[in-house]
Amino acid sequence: MNNKQLIVTSNPHIKDSTSVEDIMWTVVFALVPAVLAATYFFGLRALLVIAVSIIGAVITEYIFLKIRKKEIVIDDGSAVLTGLLLALTLPPSIPLWTAFLGSVVAIGLGKQVFGGLGYNPFNPALVGRAFLTASYPVLMTTWVLDGTSTATPLSYISNGELIEIWDLFIGNIGGSLGETSALALLLGAAYLIYKGYINWRIPTGMISSVIVISFLAGANPITHIFAGGLIIGAFYMATDMVTSPVTKKARWVFGIGAGLLVAIIRLWGGYPEGVMYSILLMNTTVPLLDRYLKPKTLGVAE
Amino acid sequence: MFKKILYDFKNGLWRENPIIVLVIGMCPTLAVTNTVQNGLAMGIATSFVLLSSEIVISLFKKFIPNNVRIPSFILIIATFVTFTDFFLKAFFPDIASSLSLFIPLIVVNCLILGRQEAFASKNPTRRAIADALGMGIGFTWVLVLLSAVRELLGMGSIFGLTILGSWYQPMVIMILPAGAFISLGVLVGFMNVLKRRGN
Amino acid sequence: METKISKLVITLTVIGIISAIALSFVYQWTTPYIEKHQAEAQKKAINAVLPQAEEVKEVEKEGQTFYEGYDSNGNRIGVAMNASGPGYQNVIELMIGVNINADKIYAIKILSHEETPGLGARINGDEFKSNFVDKEFGDYDVVKRQAKTEMEVEAIAGATISSKSVTSIVENAVKQIESAYGGGA
């Protein structure tokens, strides 16, 4: 007799040959332009920060899996991706130990304590970043470009100064490593959408609600799109498969809600940037969204 | 008899520790454990209120009708809490001002009402004393441990004395409310691992 | 088994009376100490912002309490007052002392605040408070670099909101003192 267990899961029951590895490594690949742009604008130190952050994430993942006596699945790329995404949200001048600590927290507190890949309610990279922002606010808000300390584009905006849209678009501005070059991020994002690995509804909802609110509030919507972490957040973090909703309607709500929060925090809140907190806050709503916004079942009486 | 009393005393220290096992009294646990001084003072103040109200309630339990036992307990607890509040303000003004609102809030600490309801109102006074001492010390040592970790990581000091030198970058999150949740979670998880090993 | 209502009422009343009597004794016992501590804290705060004052008088003007400081010759050298306003997380309370003859602030002292530790909490540090020492009255600008003119206040790095809160509390307090003491004239 074959003793195979009968596995019962909820729908959808569509099988696909795509594996976790494929997706994770493809996203890492899609971020290569952003890494190159960061290295170009901020120098080799950017590469060093990225490397340290990835190493921290991988080591933590390894130690946790070992302690939990699980299969070591470092090569699935998820820890590498978390480390990379975290590094891209850090300021270039960040001390290396801070980047390392951030990725340890991202994997340890953001992912493994909940049970590892697939069980974490919050985006691990953003958990790491939130931890660092609360712990080392001065280190996390010191921006350096060409050896001089500058303000971020968002603080320029709140000071009423003008910046070149083109500089903003290609990334020749102060800011976190990977968030400055919208061009590089969009290249990668286009590839991911083409491959079908990220969903277009969340970024669309998020960015368009930021446009609408900033326009209504009398701010320049274009700078609000390209300045700060909106592009990297909307395309690479809000779309994280583990921490975003699965149904179409829920994805719209998730994206629009995150965009609203970004605009509210930026325009009226105490922080100049709100992408991180808005995505983390919307992460908490995902189970509810998926529960109440599921598609109607066919053939069932109301 | 003595064995029973010892059992009641040891109950709160570890096996039924109010914070890490029963998970009650979370408001002070999370709010005032940012420095060791605050943690210790809160632990002692709570233990004092717990001990005195357990003594009074176990002594007079026969006179308190069942229907009004909760309001009676609260009245008695509130009396001791107000006493503690006045006392600290008069003789330890620094501690009183750093704990400020959290001293009056001991009244709503469910650890205290919980022990009256679960223990003092059903047991003789000597056992109630043992229970209050055990629970009080159990509450205090966890507060002190938690606040030591948070003060060390968040300010590089313990009891206001600098332990980690100027090379240490204080991890500010540890003295914010978020740090309380993180360190309490890690502590409870760690204790559960220890327990599982023990069994 | 039902207990009679009267018994319930009596029990609670008795407990209430005993507790009230006990607490009134405690109150009588501790109040002198508590008041002494409060008075000392108040005096220390006034001394910190009016360092040269030998004698301090409490004056009520326009519904506000001011503390007038006099030197040993009986000349009024300054006025101090309690001021408060919204901070980043909660109300910031401070004591400000000014020289009304020269239209200058002597110093400020933060009495209570709940700003973020390590950031906004630095409003209590000497580096930030020295911004206001010997500052002329006026409308201040909070800047994120070294203050260049008399009307600029250097913000704490990463804590602009807390810095602005303190500055606006100071501005309002100065205006109140000016209006009560025929300011500027």
Side-chain angles (χ1 to χ4, degrees):
Chain A
M1 197 47 204
N2 193 349
N3 276 334
K4 237 186 197 172
Q5 271 183 312
L6 188 63
I7 298 171
V8 182
T9 58
S10 70
N11 58 354
H13 301 283
I14 302 165
K15 270 202 99 141
D16 190 3
S17 61
T18 320
S19 64
V20 173
E21 282 111 282
D22 290 340
I23 298 175
M24 293 296 172
W25 287 114
T26 311
V27 180
V28 171
F29 175 70
L31 282 166
V32 167
V35 172
L36 292 178
T39 319
Y40 177 75
F41 290 115
F42 299 111
L44 281 177
R45 200 188 144 73
L47 274 185
L48 204 58
V49 172
I50 293 170
V52 166
S53 173
I54 292 177
I55 291 168
V58 170
I59 292 178
T60 316
E61 176 106 333
Y62 178 82
I63 293 174
F64 266 90
L65 290 173
K66 200 86 189 167
I67 293 175
R68 295 176 57 218
K69 301 192 178 74
K70 299 270 175 189
E71 193 190 343
I72 306 293
V73 284
I74 300 289
D75 54 348
D76 72 1
S78 65
V80 173
L81 179 60
T82 300
L84 176 60
L85 277 176
L86 172 70
L88 292 177
T89 65
L90 298 177
S93 59
I94 194 102
L96 295 180
W97 62 266
T98 319
F100 188 84
L101 179 69
S103 60
V104 169
V105 171
I107 296 289
L109 285 181
K111 181 174 160 194
Q112 289 293 344
V113 292
F114 295 106
L117 183 65
Y119 295 97
N120 47 306
F122 300 104
N123 184 312
L126 287 175
V127 171
R129 188 179 200 261
F131 183 89
L132 291 182
T133 310
S135 287
Y136 308 105
V138 177
L139 294 179
M140 291 296 286
T141 47
T142 310
W143 314 99
V144 177
L145 179 66
D146 295 334
T148 51
S149 97
T150 58
T152 55
L154 282 172
S155 37
Y156 278 130
I157 295 171
S158 55
N159 287 351
E161 291 168 51
L162 285 176
I163 24 168
E164 290 288 326
I165 299 291
W166 178 246
D167 275 349
L168 205 52
F169 184 65
I170 63 165
N172 190 19
I173 37 167
S176 298
L177 282 177
E179 69 180 26
T180 55
S181 179
L183 178 65
L185 290 169
L186 287 174
L187 274 178
Y191 176 66
L192 288 179
I193 291 178
Y194 163 74
K195 292 278 281 186
Y197 288 170
I198 59 176
N199 185 276
W200 59 272
R201 288 184 183 85
I202 294 172
T204 311
M206 192 164 167
I207 292 174
S208 45
S209 59
V210 170
I211 295 177
V212 171
I213 301 285
S214 54
F215 180 74
L216 289 179
N220 184 346
I222 296 179
T223 45
H224 270 280
I225 301 171
F226 294 125
L230 182 60
I231 301 276
I232 189 170
F235 284 100
Y236 294 91
M237 292 172 170
T239 55
D240 175 6
M241 291 188 175
V242 178
T243 57
S244 63
V246 287
T247 68
K248 284 179 191 169
K249 257 194 246 167
R251 281 177 172 161
W252 278 117
V253 175
F254 181 86
I256 292 171
L260 279 178
L261 287 171
V262 170
I264 289 170
I265 296 175
R266 278 187 185 175
L267 295 167
W268 297 287
Y271 291 96
E273 176 60 301
V275 172
M276 168 178 78
Y277 290 118
S278 64
I279 295 175
L280 285 174
L281 279 172
M282 290 310 289
N283 282 161
T284 64
T285 67
V286 166
L288 278 179
L289 289 180
D290 271 340
R291 193 186 162 93
Y292 289 109
L293 296 176
K294 51 185 171 204
K296 287 224 172 68
T297 317
L298 281 176
V300 175
E302 284 285 314
Chain B
M1 191 69 236
F2 180 71
K3 229 178 167 180
K4 218 173 192 179
I5 288 179
L6 197 69
Y7 179 91
D8 291 333
F9 174 68
K10 283 185 359 198
N11 196 32
L13 296 186
W14 179 253
R15 199 177 44 252
E16 270 186 42
N17 185 286
I19 299 177
I20 50 185
V21 179
L22 304 180
V23 199
I24 53 177
M26 285 298 104
C27 160
T29 309
L30 295 167
V32 301
T33 51
N34 48 0
T35 62
V36 180
Q37 186 194 312
N38 282 356
L40 184 64
M42 176 51 86
I44 293 173
T46 310
S47 306
F48 167 75
V49 174
L50 184 62
L51 179 63
S52 12
S53 44
E54 276 208 48
I55 292 175
V56 170
I57 286 165
S58 63
L59 278 176
F60 295 100
K61 57 180 179 286
K62 285 194 190 111
F63 303 101
I64 300 173
N66 202 34
N67 315 33
V68 290
R69 67 185 194 287
I70 301 286
S72 309
F73 295 167
I74 287 291
L75 261 173
I76 293 165
I77 295 167
T79 310
F80 287 112
V81 170
T82 315
F83 170 79
T84 313
D85 192 29
F86 284 152
F87 182 81
L88 286 177
K89 270 187 189 148
F91 300 105
F92 299 96
D94 290 341
I95 291 177
S97 74
S98 73
L99 291 177
S100 63
L101 189 63
F102 292 102
I103 292 291
L105 280 178
I106 294 176
V107 139
V108 291
N109 187 333
C110 47
L111 164 64
I112 294 174
L113 184 62
R115 291 326 286 175
Q116 315 309 336
E117 174 77 1
F119 204 93
S121 58
K122 296 183 184 123
N123 288 295
T125 310
R126 49 182 185 278
R127 288 192 62 193
I129 293 174
D131 177 73
L133 286 176
M135 285 287 163
I137 296 172
F139 187 71
T140 309
W141 79 256
V142 179
L143 284 195
V144 170
L145 177 66
L146 209 56
S147 52
V149 170
R150 290 181 61 195
E151 188 179 344
L152 186 67
L153 292 176
M155 293 194 259
S157 64
I158 283 192
F159 244 112
L161 298 170
T162 310
I163 303 280
L164 302 172
S166 54
W167 54 268
Y168 181 71
Q169 285 268 0
M171 208 185 274
V172 178
I173 193 171
M174 294 310 284
I175 44 175
L176 299 176
F181 282 98
I182 293 174
S183 32
L184 181 65
V186 171
L187 181 72
V188 172
F190 192 68
M191 292 296 174
N192 283 342
V193 171
L194 279 186
K195 267 192 165 166
R196 216 172 288 166
R197 292 261 161 89
N199 289 346
Chain C
M1 192 182 72
E2 271 300 301
T3 323
K4 272 193 183 155
I5 293 282
S6 59
K7 198 188 169 197
L8 307 183
V9 175
I10 290 168
T11 315
L12 281 178
T13 315
V14 168
I15 298 176
I17 290 172
I18 295 174
S19 129
I21 292 172
L23 282 180
S24 62
F25 276 114
V26 176
Y27 180 77
Q28 275 183 354
W29 172 45
T30 54
T31 305
Y33 296 96
I34 295 174
E35 279 174 353
K36 206 179 96 197
H37 290 305
Q38 280 171 346
E40 267 170 19
Q42 182 80 336
K43 207 177 146 212
K44 234 171 100 188
I46 295 170
N47 279 345
V49 296
L50 291 178
Q52 297 98 328
E54 296 282 323
E55 205 197 331
V56 174
K57 270 191 210 159
E58 215 178 296
V59 187
E60 255 335 288
K61 269 194 187 184
E62 298 181 355
Q64 169 79 40
T65 311
F66 295 96
Y67 304 97
E68 296 181 345
Y70 293 88
D71 66 7
S72 45
N73 301 326
N75 299 319
R76 189 170 69 198
I77 52 155
V79 176
M81 71 176 274
N82 280 313
S84 62
Y88 185 58
Q89 296 190 29
N90 209 333
V91 172
I92 300 175
E93 280 180 53
L94 55 82
M95 175 73 84
I96 176 173
V98 304
N99 182 341
I100 43 170
N101 305 321
D103 282 359
K104 272 188 176 174
I105 297 171
Y106 277 123
I108 62 166
K109 183 178 166 67
I110 309 289
L111 301 177
S112 76
H113 72 87
E114 274 175 39
E115 304 305 285
T116 320
L119 275 180
R122 278 156 60 197
I123 55 171
N124 211 356
D126 288 335
E127 201 185 330
F128 179 71
K129 282 190 294 188
S130 66
N131 264 311
F132 296 101
V133 172
D134 278 336
K135 204 163 195 66
E136 277 173 28
F137 291 177
D139 289 322
Y140 307 120
D141 263 334
V142 178
V143 294
K144 293 181 189 178
R145 48 173 167 76
Q146 201 138 32
K148 284 179 189 145
T149 70
E150 189 61 30
M151 286 300 125
E152 284 181 349
V153 171
E154 185 185 345
I156 299 163
T160 319
I161 295 181
S162 304
S163 313
K164 280 187 180 161
S165 312
V166 172
T167 309
S168 82
I169 297 169
V170 168
E171 273 174 11
N172 289 332
V174 165
K175 272 174 202 145
Q176 273 189 317
I177 293 175
E178 277 190 312
S179 100
Y181 286 86

